Amino acid sequence: MNTSEMIQGICVDTANTTVLVEGQTYFLFPNGPNYFYVSIFPDSKAHKGCYQSRCFQIIKKLKEEWPGEPKGPRLVSDYDKEKVYKAQLVWRKPGYRGTELKEYFIRLKVEYPEQKLKINLVDSCYFYDQYENGQFEGFRGCFPLHWFGEMEEVLDTYNQEFSEKEQIVVTEPVINGYEQLSLFD
């Protein structure tokens, strides 16, 4: 379904169905030259079915405005493939409208991981909802890097050495007169 082209029309023939109401205005989404997906909402995914175009009188064609794609690919010689970055998703294709334009954690996608050099030209990155304790959570996908803006490095405190004051102390559990039984000796 092409959601970028949306038409408003009035039902002039119910085509012997109980779903359509004659005289009611619907949002129409083209499905080939002679058919429309019909919806009462401006969303093609919420359609009531597919009907012949002869059942509708077209009122107006609505063209969805979508901003232009940012320039890319982006030269990222200042970024390291081993680091994690926080970046704002500033653009996506109309097919990805379910992906929010918000801040994500990104990891640069490297085609040749055996190279230990900094990347000169990166065309895409993996992006996630969260990054805590050295772990990514909520994988969202892989988008071109130039769709992201305001990149800043995330300091990874998880892998840093503990200072003397923060060392974890393990103590033996206190047993109050109970003996641990084992099934296999």
Side-chain angles (χ1 to χ4, degrees):
M1 266 184 278
N2 183 5
T3 58
S4 63
E5 186 178 356
M6 181 172 53
I7 302 168
Q8 268 191 313
I10 296 175
C11 178
V12 292
D13 181 9
T14 60
N16 296 324
T17 68
T18 58
V19 177
L20 299 176
V21 176
E22 195 168 329
Q24 184 170 348
T25 302
Y26 293 99
F27 292 99
L28 310 171
F29 301 92
N31 183 25
N34 299 321
Y35 292 90
F36 290 123
Y37 285 105
V38 179
S39 176
I40 58 173
F41 304 106
D43 184 3
S44 63
K45 295 177 187 169
H47 67 83
K48 293 178 159 232
C50 190
Y51 298 94
Q52 291 182 345
S53 57
R54 67 172 177 77
C55 298
F56 302 93
Q57 178 185 357
I58 295 174
I59 299 173
K60 60 182 170 180
K61 292 186 178 185
L62 308 168
K63 186 72 174 169
E64 183 179 359
E65 292 296 323
W66 199 261
E69 183 173 1
K71 299 279 186 210
R74 192 155 136 195
L75 202 60
V76 289
S77 60
D78 297 336
Y79 299 111
D80 188 347
K81 66 181 170 112
E82 301 294 328
K83 295 184 179 175
V84 176
Y85 298 94
K86 192 186 317 182
Q88 180 75 30
L89 181 63
V90 294
W91 191 86
R92 77 261 193 243
K93 287 187 177 181
Y96 296 111
R97 74 183 65 218
T99 304
E100 294 180 60
L101 296 176
K102 66 175 193 171
E103 196 169 70
Y104 292 99
F105 294 94
I106 66 171
R107 183 172 49 97
L108 301 179
K109 181 180 176 189
V110 181
E111 296 296 328
Y112 305 102
E114 64 274 357
Q115 294 179 349
K116 301 280 185 198
L117 305 173
K118 287 192 174 191
I119 303 164
N120 291 328
L121 186 65
V122 174
D123 63 349
S124 59
C125 62
Y126 299 106
F127 66 107
Y128 304 83
D129 285 324
Q130 295 180 349
Y131 179 74
E132 291 180 15
N133 299 329
Q135 298 292 320
F136 289 103
E137 292 181 16
F139 177 69
R140 299 303 303 253
C142 183
F143 279 173
L145 189 61
H146 65 277
W147 291 5
F148 291 89
E150 303 173 20
M151 284 180 60
E152 63 182 58
E153 183 180 338
V154 174
L155 298 176
D156 190 5
T157 57
Y158 179 74
N159 292 329
Q160 293 178 353
E161 303 250 349
F162 290 107
S163 67
E164 290 179 19
K165 295 179 182 178
E166 297 174 336
Q167 285 188 359
I168 298 173
V169 178
V170 179
T171 60
E172 291 292 323
V174 177
I175 300 174
N176 295 327
Y178 294 104
E179 182 181 335
Q180 176 66 42
L181 298 176
S182 71
L183 295 174
F184 305 102
D185 289 325

